[in-house]
Amino acid sequence: MAGTTDGGDAAGAAAGTTFLLARHGATEHTAQGRLSGCTGANPPLSEVGREQARRLAAALRTAGGADALVCSPVLRARQTAEEVAAALGLPLRVEDDLREIDFGDWEGLTPAEVDRRWPGAQPAWRRQSEQAPPGGESVEAVGERVARVRERLAAEHPGARVLLVSHMYPVKLTVVDALGVPRVVMHRMHVDPTGVAEVRALPAGDPRGPWLVVRHNDAAHLRDARP
């Protein structure tokens, strides 16, 4: 179930923090439809992905940038964030808890290959956020560590625009948590490479809740750069 840790996100909401959430650019695994988490091959950005990162950086600069920039340590996210950091003139902070999910034994496989080797396992995993792939990590575990990052950053940057460059799962789970719906709902969402989401804190006591989802998967900057 969606939630926060120790009330930290609620405190951040009261302080007026806005999180901008960008997925990394495309890799060869993206083009091949392979599951690419935080272990395994750790592919770099492809040429398409580098162009997407440049377009993301330009779009963010045009839109006013951010006050702080934080990224996942995984190579494709780090490379994307470096493009953004250069464009926005911001120092780059790495947070290990923003890494992508660990797909375990499924790393590097296509969904069809997973289905052939583990019949029925993938649909069951998508229905249960507490269930992990063999040797991997559950959606619930990813959601909890990403929530801890938001808690820390909201406390450190009250009232600021904080840009997080990470992966599909951290982006989706932040939006899901802001909506206050079960985390398993994230499997019904899509995020393009370098797609941007935005969640904005609401004043304490606002009847809509602590967070407002302003946008999700804003990929207007991609145009013809999709993989």
Side-chain angles (χ1 to χ4, degrees), residues 6 68 70 87 100 105 187 194 199:
D6 300 325
V70 186
E100 182 60 294
D105 294 344
H187 292 299
T194 68
V199 297

Side-chain angles (χ1 to χ4, degrees), residues 65-110:
D67 300 303
L69 173 56
V70 186
C71 80
S72 157
V74 180
L75 180 59
R76 57 194 182 273
R78 181 69 179 261
Q79 290 177 327
T80 302
E82 286 169 353
E83 290 283 352
V84 174
L88 301 186
L90 288 174
L92 179 58
R93 169 174 167 180
V94 176
E95 281 279 352
D96 186 61
D97 278 344
L98 286 180
R99 67 191 182 277
E100 182 60 294
I101 191 172
D102 182 356
F103 285 111
D105 294 344
W106 297 354
E107 287 278 351
L109 302 178
T110 65

Side-chain angles (χ1 to χ4, degrees), residues 151-217:
E151 177 184 342
R152 291 196 299 270
L153 293 175
E156 292 174 19
H157 302 281
R161 286 164 55 86
V162 181
L163 173 60
L164 308 181
V165 180
S166 60
H167 307 267
M168 184 182 295
Y169 279 61
V171 172
K172 288 182 180 182
L173 286 166
T174 295
V175 173
V176 162
D177 280 2
L179 290 171
V181 297
R183 285 174 171 155
V184 72
V185 171
M186 62 145 284
H187 292 299
R188 302 181 185 181
M189 302 164 64
H190 176 75
V191 184
D192 282 302
T194 68
V196 177
E198 180 178 351
V199 297
R200 183 180 302 159
L202 295 173
D206 190 294
R208 292 171 292 178
W211 294 98
L212 178 69
V213 177
V214 179
R215 52 180 166 151
H216 175 67
N217 196 33

